[in-house]
Amino acid sequence: MSEQTIKATLSDAVDQVLSLVKQQGAQADVIANASESLSLKADQGDLSEHKVTAGQVIGVRVVKGDQVATSYSESLDSDSLASMVNAALTNASFTKADPDQQIRAEGQQIDQQDPSLLQADNTPIEDKIALALALEQEVVSQPRATGAPYNGYSEQTQYQLLANTLGTRCYHSERSFSCYTAALLNHDGKQAMHLGASVSRRFADLDLAHATQLAYQTADALLEGGPVKTGSYPVIFEHDCLSELLGAFGSCFSGDAAKRGTNPWREKVGKPVADSALTITDVARLDGGMRIKAFDSEGFATADTPLIENGVLVGFLHNSATAQHFGVPHTANAGRSPKGGLDVTSRHDVIAAGKHSDADVHAGEYLELVSLQGVHSGANAISGDFSFGASGFVCRDGKRVRPVRGITVAGNFYTMLNEIEAIGNTVLPNYDGAFFAPRIRFARLSIAGE
């Protein structure tokens, strides 16, 4: 089915919903999604999964007076749409009043048909199957590999139409490709496993060699690892680990969390919260970014949002409801899926480059952590305390001295941000293009080992 046909189908459904809502004297915004995906998995030299899926879902958020409710349907036929609207309006009559939530994006017209986000793909299915099988083959051909338990390829094409009763109409389409593999090593009673992945906008840009080498070489390097002595160590987190850690404490940037009283920085806007060298921005669009979207889930045009500048908390990510609550401008960071209610979301988390050279960041002895276990279960977003398993390397002057496993890293996230020894001068992306940062050396974290 062509993109224009899909767009027209979504448009017809959205128009029906908006008409039904208006007839009931209510306001609403509607999000309609259509998607097509392919998933391939390899196991022991054969294709264990070949799944092709396509679907659609539409969701409405109705506002009548000060009462708000949502409902969704996975069918776009007229009866299902009418039932969806009736359910939302009925639910709204029983909800607690929420005067902050209103339909506010008036007359926004954003049609993001960006060729760079939805690139044509004429790759034969045989080539995609070959890539999925090659992921496993490349790993198990390595000298000490005993298996590759997880190997896969996936692609997804997404189309979204957002509209509301105030005349806003926004459209977005995109396509992405990804592959991953895990290398498993068993030797002398020891076992190690590591994951490697690649994400891109084009099939041809997937980096199989990077994914397989990262998985095998890291697992191989960690295999003989053991704990270090319990104590306090300088730590550098590998990019995906740092992204994971930041994500566990992301509520400190959320206007919605501040409204609910669960943001520990609620009263700290305009005050120092981190080392003066630290600057963090939510960026709407940048080269290599995989979360580019021209509008948020209310229909406002997205833009960059400063969060921390030179250690000072500038503000939070806001949708129009949280902005109304605090009496500040919204930041076009509304997040809502067709099946959910209004929330706040980020685009690309970007930590600005610092002034330290690579040699400065990696000077002396420190721990490089390349794998974390149980991050979200081991993190308290309100207090900032965290404790979870980790693996990595003792390093000296940028060289890995010995592998480290079986340790627990603990500390306080908010304290950690104020104890930074060095921030590198080169910004690099994590594997999925959602987090961009230089290398950061934190002065001290507690390590429980032997």
Side-chain angles (χ1 to χ4, degrees), residues 7-341:
K7 186 178 180 181
T9 301
L10 297 180
S11 183
D12 288 344
V14 165
D15 288 343
Q16 289 181 57
V17 172
L18 292 177
S19 176
L20 291 169
V21 170
K22 288 178 180 178
Q23 290 172 24
Q24 298 298 319
Q27 297 288 323
D29 54 21
V30 186
I31 297 175
N33 284 0
S35 63
E36 303 165 350
S37 64
L38 168 67
S39 175
L40 305 171
K41 293 181 181 178
D43 183 38
Q44 297 183 4
D46 293 319
L47 203 63
S48 61
E49 177 179 287
H50 183 160
K51 184 187 295 183
V52 178
T53 58
Q56 70 244 334
V57 59
I58 186 169
V60 62
R61 177 177 65 119
V62 298
V63 179
K64 195 163 187 178
D66 287 340
Q67 293 176 293
V68 184
T70 63
S71 185
Y72 73 91
S73 171
E74 294 182 349
S75 172
L76 303 186
D77 67 73
S78 296
D79 288 345
S80 296
L81 297 179
S83 296
M84 179 186 73
V85 171
N86 288 335
L89 289 168
T90 300
N91 292 341
S93 65
F94 294 101
T95 61
K96 182 180 178 180
D98 184 359
D100 291 331
Q101 274 202 62
Q102 297 293 326
I103 306 301
R104 293 191 172 90
E106 185 172 357
Q108 301 288 309
Q109 302 291 319
I110 303 172
D111 194 337
Q112 182 174 301
Q113 297 185 67
D114 186 336
S116 69
L117 303 185
L118 184 70
Q119 301 199 37
D121 177 48
N122 299 311
T123 308
I125 184 62
E126 293 79 8
D127 291 358
K128 297 172 181 178
I129 292 173
L131 184 143
L133 295 172
L135 288 162
E136 182 184 34
Q137 293 164 0
E138 286 294 320
V139 170
V140 299
S141 68
Q142 300 302 316
R144 297 213 294 175
T146 53
Y150 307 107
N151 309 276
Y153 163 83
S154 66
E155 62 184 59
Q156 186 169 51
T157 306
Q158 296 180 310
Y159 311 92
Q160 184 178 92
L161 181 66
L162 181 155
N164 67 24
T165 48
L166 297 182
T168 285
R169 202 172 195 86
C170 304
Y171 178 75
H172 172 85
S173 58
E174 66 172 89
R175 179 174 290 127
S176 60
F177 303 83
S178 64
C179 67
Y180 63 89
T181 186
L184 177 64
L185 281 71
N186 282 295
H187 186 69
D188 290 342
K190 296 182 178 181
Q191 185 180 90
M193 187 172 74
H194 198 75
L195 184 74
S198 177
V199 178
S200 69
R201 293 287 182 190
R202 299 193 314 144
F203 177 84
D205 292 336
L206 288 176
D207 195 339
L208 180 146
H210 170 76
T212 56
Q213 289 171 14
L214 175 64
Y216 175 75
Q217 292 175 4
T218 306
D220 187 47
L222 288 172
L223 185 63
E224 303 298 331
V228 292
K229 290 184 178 180
T230 296
S232 179
Y233 293 81
V235 170
I236 296 176
F237 291 92
E238 184 273 334
H239 263 43
D240 290 315
C241 293
L242 184 57
S243 173
E244 195 176 2
L245 182 60
L246 185 64
F249 294 93
S251 61
C252 67
F253 297 123
S254 168
D256 187 63
K259 180 182 176 182
R260 289 184 278 107
T262 58
N263 185 336
W265 283 352
R266 175 174 172 163
E267 306 298 332
K268 293 186 178 293
V269 175
K271 299 177 181 178
V273 294
D275 187 281
S276 61
L278 188 68
T279 293
I280 304 178
T281 307
D282 177 65
V283 177
R285 183 177 187 122
L286 74 170
D287 290 343
M290 295 297 292
R291 293 187 180 176
I292 297 171
K293 197 171 183 182
F295 56 92
D296 73 354
S297 294
E298 290 184 278
F300 290 109
T302 54
D304 296 351
T305 303
L307 298 170
I308 293 177
E309 287 187 349
N310 300 321
V312 175
L313 180 65
V314 177
F316 302 129
L317 303 174
H318 285 291
N319 56 40
S320 71
T322 61
Q324 173 72 17
H325 181 81
F326 288 106
V328 298
H330 72 78
T331 62
N333 283 100
R336 183 169 86 82
S337 72
K339 295 184 178 182

